[in-house]
Amino acid sequence: MPQLHTIQTFTFSELPEDIRQEVVEAYEPSDYWDEWVIDAIKEEAAELGIEDFDFQYSGFWSQGDGASFTGTLSTELLTSLLKEKVNDDLSFNSTECTAQIDRKSYPHYVHENMVYASFDSGDESVSDEDRDAILTALEEWKNELCSKWYRQLRETYDAEFEEERIAEEFEGTRFLRNGKVFDFNF
């Protein structure tokens, strides 16, 4: 003879605090949580004038974690950086110069110290002192960008684990009292 059984379900916010905390601790974000951040980084790089841009990162909180990029600086970007960071009154024609950010051949890490700036003055005469100042400025600029972009990724990742964000993710989901998701399709 058929029997009627009642199952009590809860929204995330209705779960007891200790069970809600277990759900939060067990939560894993989507494998694609970083896509919109990386898209924004690529867009910013294009706006800055970094051509042939390649971005890599690993994270978080382990040795070797960080972010880095490779690419060629457009003439406009290079000229702007040289005037801003080296000398407002350049003694050489910067449109003849090129600069790149290249990856070192160490395959295990991707942080900012795994890439380096290179500078070619073309046919222009640049003193050793100016060349050193240019490379230092390019390295500092590259490191600032790498740190900024890594921080954006880390902050986005951390936000994925905030209880408020997880509650949004589970909007409309029904749970059993033990915190297991109730499957209506049994």
Side-chain angles (χ1 to χ4, degrees), residues 66-114:
S68 62
F69 68 94
T70 59
T72 302
L73 281 62
S74 68
T75 302
E76 296 81 12
L77 174 58
L78 179 58
T79 300
S80 172
L81 286 172
L82 294 178
K83 286 183 176 183
E84 175 188 337
K85 298 188 176 285
V86 178
N87 186 346
D88 191 33
D89 184 29
L90 298 175
S91 60
F92 56 90
N93 182 0
S94 62
T95 61
E96 299 295 320
C97 303
T98 60
Q100 292 184 180
I101 307 297
D102 294 310
R103 189 160 309 284
K104 295 177 181 177
S105 61
Y106 193 75
H108 302 296
Y109 303 117
V110 296
H111 57 73
E112 64 201 40
N113 294 325
M114 293 293 102

Side-chain angles (χ1 to χ4, degrees), residues 151-164:
R151 191 171 43 256
Q152 289 173 344
L153 284 159
R154 189 183 64 231
E155 289 169 358
T156 302
Y157 182 80
D158 288 346
E160 286 289 314
F161 291 97
E162 292 175 359
E163 187 169 326
E164 185 178 298

Side-chain angles (χ1 to χ4, degrees), residues 20-172:
R20 196 168 53 239
Q21 191 58 41
E22 288 177 19
V23 170
V24 167
E25 289 172 7
Y27 176 76
E28 290 289 329
S30 156
D31 288 341
Y32 307 105
W33 66 268
D34 60 352
E35 280 187 351
W36 72 269
V37 181
I38 293 172
D39 287 345
I41 289 168
K42 288 177 180 177
E43 192 173 302
E44 182 178 354
E47 290 172 3
L48 285 170
I50 305 171
E51 300 164 351
D52 302 319
F53 182 76
D54 179 49
F55 179 78
Q56 295 182 15
Y57 83 95
S58 66
F60 299 93
W61 305 284
S62 294
Q63 178 182 344
D65 284 347
S68 62
F69 68 94
T70 59
T72 302
L73 281 62
S74 68
T75 302
E76 296 81 12
L77 174 58
L78 179 58
T79 300
S80 172
L81 286 172
L82 294 178
K83 286 183 176 183
E84 175 188 337
K85 298 188 176 285
V86 178
N87 186 346
D88 191 33
D89 184 29
L90 298 175
S91 60
F92 56 90
N93 182 0
S94 62
T95 61
E96 299 295 320
C97 303
T98 60
Q100 292 184 180
I101 307 297
D102 294 310
R103 189 160 309 284
K104 295 177 181 177
S105 61
Y106 193 75
H108 302 296
Y109 303 117
V110 296
H111 57 73
E112 64 201 40
N113 294 325
M114 293 293 102
V115 292
Y116 63 95
S118 61
F119 173 78
D120 182 358
S121 61
D123 291 336
E124 292 296 311
S125 175
V126 177
S127 70
D128 289 343
E129 184 179 320
D130 282 346
R131 180 176 302 285
D132 290 345
I134 290 166
L135 287 172
T136 297
L138 291 173
E139 284 289 327
E140 289 172 357
W141 171 81
K142 177 257 313 172
N143 289 344
E144 288 169 9
L145 275 180
C146 290
S147 294
K148 172 186 162 186
W149 289 336
Y150 185 72
R151 191 171 43 256
Q152 289 173 344
L153 284 159
R154 189 183 64 231
E155 289 169 358
T156 302
Y157 182 80
D158 288 346
E160 286 289 314
F161 291 97
E162 292 175 359
E163 187 169 326
E164 185 178 298
R165 166 71 181 95
I166 295 170
E168 288 175 11
E169 183 72 24
F170 287 124
E171 185 73 30

